[in-house]
Amino acid sequence: MTGNEPDEPTAESRAVQYDPESSRYDLYECPDCDNIVLALGRDEPPMSCHDNPMERVTDMEMSVQPPDVKQVLLQAFGLPKAGLDICLCVIGEGPLSANEVAESLGYDRSTITRYLSKLVELGLLERSELNREAGGVVNVYHSVDLERMRRETLIGFYVWAGEAAALIEDANLTKQDYLEGNPDQDLPDIFWESFPDR
Amino acid sequence: MSVTRRSVLRQLAAASDATRQETTTIEALAAMLDADERAVESHLYGLQACDLARARPDGTARVTITGEELLELDTDKLVIVDAATPNAES
């Protein structure tokens, strides 16, 4: 017998629809062209297009699956899972030693050191060198300024989302061109083939 | 009353001195923080593993130069001290 566990949300139950009354985010479109923008934290249309204010999208009927935030973050920032685990492990704690983080997460100590450096490369952590009483220095990893992190992660995610939207638009245009040239044929895999392999 | 590792470090820095090697006691720290001595002691060992404090078997402790410098960073956020590979990135 197949089926979902009683408490397991189904695809349908997890689906969400764009709610224009929600203040979480807004979608605006230009009445004269295909321009659609996403706006966060704005009460008014964020920009004009063709010399007119953009209009709030109110008739989006399509339901979408809510994103798995963890997966989105991993994909959008190229953030290794271990790196995200490290961030989640020590938020609100600390100072913690690298050994403690390793033991807590079940990673090798060398893995922690490697991913701490990766988080610095990604701009999610800063590294400072502190003097050691016995000589030499100690590496200390700490969060970047929260406002800076907010701006960088949001813009970084928008870049990723913009790239995805542009690819979808390109694929739609490719599909449209194909159908115009092949009116008697079913839609083949041309839509997916138009996405470049990365 | 629960106490954080960060607050133990702050109190330790206020009550001891790395350069002059002045120490305080775990008992005094616990009293100043209104915290359980075992909890304070546990955090001290954690701070010692980070090279931020020195705890002695006689129950005394002091902040280290590294601990004082960490507090000067004035960061209340995520902090990980990689003490065992001090020159790994240099």
Side-chain angles (χ1 to χ4, degrees):
Chain A
M1 182 177 169
T2 60
N4 294 300
E5 294 295 324
D7 295 332
E8 189 177 320
T10 62
E12 289 74 18
S13 70
R14 289 181 70 243
V16 293
Q17 271 194 306
Y18 168 59
D19 178 8
E21 301 304 317
S22 164
S23 58
R24 294 175 68 213
Y25 60 90
D26 288 299
L27 299 176
Y28 290 92
E29 63 185 344
C30 173
D32 297 323
C33 72
D34 296 332
N35 193 9
I36 298 176
V37 299
L38 165 68
L40 287 183
R42 297 288 296 264
D43 294 329
E44 300 298 327
M47 63 185 75
S48 60
C49 191
H50 289 86
D51 293 329
N52 285 313
M54 298 181 78
E55 295 177 357
R56 192 190 299 257
V57 175
T58 58
D59 59 349
M60 227 290 278
E61 296 295 332
M62 182 179 172
S63 294
V64 296
Q65 291 294 310
D68 181 329
V69 174
K70 195 170 180 180
Q71 287 302 320
V72 169
L73 286 173
L74 295 175
Q75 290 289 327
F77 298 104
L79 186 61
K81 182 178 179 300
L84 188 60
D85 285 342
I86 290 169
C87 286
L88 296 174
C89 171
V90 293
I91 285 175
E93 300 287 338
L96 295 175
S97 70
N99 279 336
E100 285 177 296
V101 176
E103 286 171 18
S104 170
L105 295 175
Y107 291 124
D108 288 342
R109 167 61 196 287
S110 59
T111 302
I112 299 299
T113 297
R114 189 166 68 250
Y115 283 116
L116 284 171
S117 294
K118 178 70 176 173
L119 290 167
V120 171
E121 282 175 29
L122 291 169
L124 297 175
L125 289 183
E126 284 180 353
R127 177 170 43 222
S128 298
E129 289 186 345
L130 304 183
N131 288 306
R132 202 179 205 182
E133 286 192 354
V137 293
V138 172
N139 284 323
V140 172
Y141 299 85
H142 48 101
S143 308
V144 298
D145 174 73
L146 283 182
E147 189 57 32
R148 181 181 144 200
M149 181 182 278
R150 175 193 163 278
R151 182 177 184 276
E152 290 185 0
T153 52
L154 206 51
I155 291 176
F157 177 72
Y158 280 1
V159 169
W160 181 81
E163 191 71 20
L167 285 171
I168 290 171
E169 190 66 357
D170 286 348
N172 278 325
L173 292 173
T174 302
K175 180 185 72 176
Q176 194 174 346
D177 288 346
Y178 182 88
L179 289 176
E180 284 173 2
N182 304 273
D184 299 328
Q185 296 188 29
D186 292 335
L187 181 66
D189 291 334
I190 190 72
F191 178 82
W192 295 113
E193 287 170 1
S194 63
F195 286 97
D197 289 329
R198 301 231 165 170
Chain B
M1 180 181 170
S2 66
V3 62
T4 66
R5 189 177 288 188
R6 196 182 305 275
S7 63
V8 171
L9 177 61
R10 281 210 189 91
Q11 193 61 56
L12 182 65
S16 65
D17 189 282
T19 308
R20 294 194 296 271
Q21 304 213 342
E22 292 174 355
T23 62
T24 185
T25 64
I26 294 172
E27 185 181 6
L29 278 175
M32 286 183 278
L33 291 163
D34 190 20
D36 181 75
E37 274 187 43
R38 280 174 300 182
V40 172
E41 189 174 19
S42 172
H43 283 313
L44 274 174
Y45 287 133
L47 291 168
Q48 183 163 264
C50 296
D51 258 3
L52 303 175
R54 290 276 183 275
R56 295 175 180 157
D58 64 0
T60 60
R62 68 169 174 85
V63 68
T64 63
I65 288 172
T66 314
E68 290 178 340
E69 289 188 357
L70 179 71
L71 291 172
E72 286 172 12
L73 284 178
D74 196 25
T75 176
D76 281 338
K77 306 170 194 95
L78 180 159
V79 172
I80 300 171
V81 182
D82 200 358
T85 53
N87 296 310
E89 303 299 328
S90 59

